[in-house]
Amino acid sequence: MVLLPAGPARADNPLVQTIYTADPAPLVYNGRVYLYTGHDEDGSTYFTMRDWRVFSSADMVNWTDHGSPMSLATFAWASADAWAGHTVYRNGKFYWYVPVKDRASGQMAIGVGVSTSPTGPFTDAIGRPLVRNGEIDPNVFIDDNGQAYLYWGNPNLWYVRLNTDMISYTGSPTQIPLTTAGFGTRTGSTTRPTLYEEAPWVYKRNGLYYNVYAAKCCSEFIAYSTAPGPTGPWTYRGTVMPTQGSSFTNHPGVIDFQGNSYFFYHNGALPGGGGYTRSVAVERFTYNADGTIPTINMTTTGPPQIATLDPYVRQEAETAAWSQGVETENAGEGGRNVGWIDNGDYIKVKGVAFGTGATGFTARVASATSGGRIELRLGSATGTLAGTCTAPGTGGWQTWTTITCPVNGATGTHDLYLRFTGGTGTLFNFNWWQFTR
């Protein structure tokens, strides 16, 4: 369990505090950003990764945990290493390209999961590797003319043209020449003359093709190159994110959302974090007038909130800008719930728009012990107390009941802290909440 001190509560990076996340792959779909990540196991001393995770946000600060819709078990032919993937939407389906170890050959290979929902569940689309040459880090780009490209590679950089079904390809995998003009000059290495290391992220903006990637292990920084076409020729453009952040790897993801540009990455910023226990974070940025990418540094504040949160519609308890002490799990009545709630833990929800005022609060809770209380605090974990709801014992951790309590003084827009209090040990589980006007 990741236990965080109260001090960093004002920060919003890293985005997830309940588990370690890595290798961000953001996707904009239907007014939300869906963030696909890897999952570093607690206490890892290697890249010990067995499943992938999904989170989503409409405001870039409050993220909803959708759990793990795909794991190594999804691919019967895979034996280990649920590493850095990438998801795209096409044909009414979501395709999740991931590197895993092929049981038959022992090589790293690229598999494809497919789902009709951005949050899964995902199934194995073809029952075998799509490509297999021992290299990793798939990225898919669909050009304006509909042609899709799969890029991947470490130590090389490969591409292949995908067919419109997104699960087969035409032609053979082709290496992109790693020239120093295209990908910069690496010093001190006789086997890798360029800065390119891994994790390509290819996209197109104003007719120019960008390839943002992890450079010069180890520790890595993020660099980029540009080209007039999707396969090159590439020209090295410089640094996006310098080496920093207590993880010797990094992994880029770049999107535009609601008129802003965002850069996703990972570091080791959580307690216990490091090169094998990483956490995804995000920064907002603005392209330079000539289309170049500015230098972006890691922050603990993250991007500004782009829309307030409506407390008068049902909100999932696993939606948070920051949390302390809790984890999430699959709920017996569907979706996810927050669990492992101890005295003093809390969930911060940022920018909650109460308007002219809330009069009541409703929550869905379950407890196999004697329960506890939810304090509704404004501004901080010790801020103005707007109400207290009692969560009773229900006879089981998935035996749910709905509770209500009055609310006073919740007007305007505030950060809401759902602070949990009670006795010792785990108090209760928490599924969803909603205020009444």
Side-chain angles (χ1 to χ4, degrees), residues 158-344:
W158 299 81
Y159 78 90
V160 71
R161 290 180 174 86
L162 294 176
N163 296 326
T164 55
D165 64 7
M166 302 302 286
I167 56 173
S168 64
Y169 56 85
T170 298
S172 301
T174 302
Q175 273 189 249
I176 292 175
L178 292 177
T179 65
T180 54
F183 295 92
T185 301
R186 184 185 308 216
T187 58
S189 173
T190 58
T191 58
R192 302 181 73 144
T194 77
L195 292 171
Y196 174 83
E197 183 73 23
E198 58 186 351
W201 185 277
V202 178
Y203 64 98
K204 186 178 184 180
R205 179 180 182 270
N206 294 340
L208 187 65
Y209 295 81
Y210 293 71
N211 187 350
V212 185
Y213 48 88
K216 188 186 177 297
C217 190
C218 288
S219 294
E220 294 175 345
F221 68 97
I222 303 297
Y224 81 110
S225 304
T226 61
T231 62
W234 296 97
T235 300
Y236 181 66
R237 296 299 184 188
T239 297
V240 175
M241 176 170 279
T243 300
Q244 54 193 279
S246 66
S247 166
F248 60 84
T249 66
N250 204 342
H251 188 109
V254 184
I255 58 167
D256 287 337
F257 179 62
Q258 304 289 22
N260 299 300
S261 298
Y262 295 94
F263 179 80
F264 290 78
Y265 59 96
H266 68 226
N267 58 27
L270 286 185
Y276 301 117
T277 44
R278 299 160 292 180
S279 294
V280 170
V282 64
E283 309 294 342
R284 190 174 76 175
F285 74 98
T286 301
Y287 289 89
N288 296 321
D290 61 359
T292 56
I293 302 175
T295 301
I296 303 169
N297 289 300
M298 300 181 184
T299 74
T300 58
T301 53
Q305 187 172 7
I306 60 174
T308 55
L309 184 136
D310 184 356
Y312 302 113
V313 298
R314 177 173 144 172
Q315 300 288 346
E316 296 301 314
E318 62 275 13
T319 296
W322 195 270
S323 59
Q324 174 177 299
V326 301
E327 295 190 24
T328 69
E329 63 182 350
N330 290 329
E333 55 184 13
R336 304 280 286 176
N337 69 257
V338 172
W340 293 272
I341 294 172
D342 295 331
N343 181 62

Side-chain angles (χ1 to χ4, degrees), residues 86-97 111-114 125-126 130 139-143 146-150 161-169:
H86 184 224
T87 304
V88 296
Y89 174 73
R90 193 174 197 179
N91 309 324
K93 297 178 181 178
F94 298 85
Y95 297 89
W96 200 343
Y97 301 82
V112 189
V114 64
I126 53 178
L130 175 62
N139 163 248
V140 171
F141 163 69
I142 304 174
D143 208 346
Q147 178 63 61
Y149 298 83
L150 169 67
R161 290 180 174 86
L162 294 176
N163 296 326
T164 55
D165 64 7
M166 302 302 286
I167 56 173
S168 64
Y169 56 85

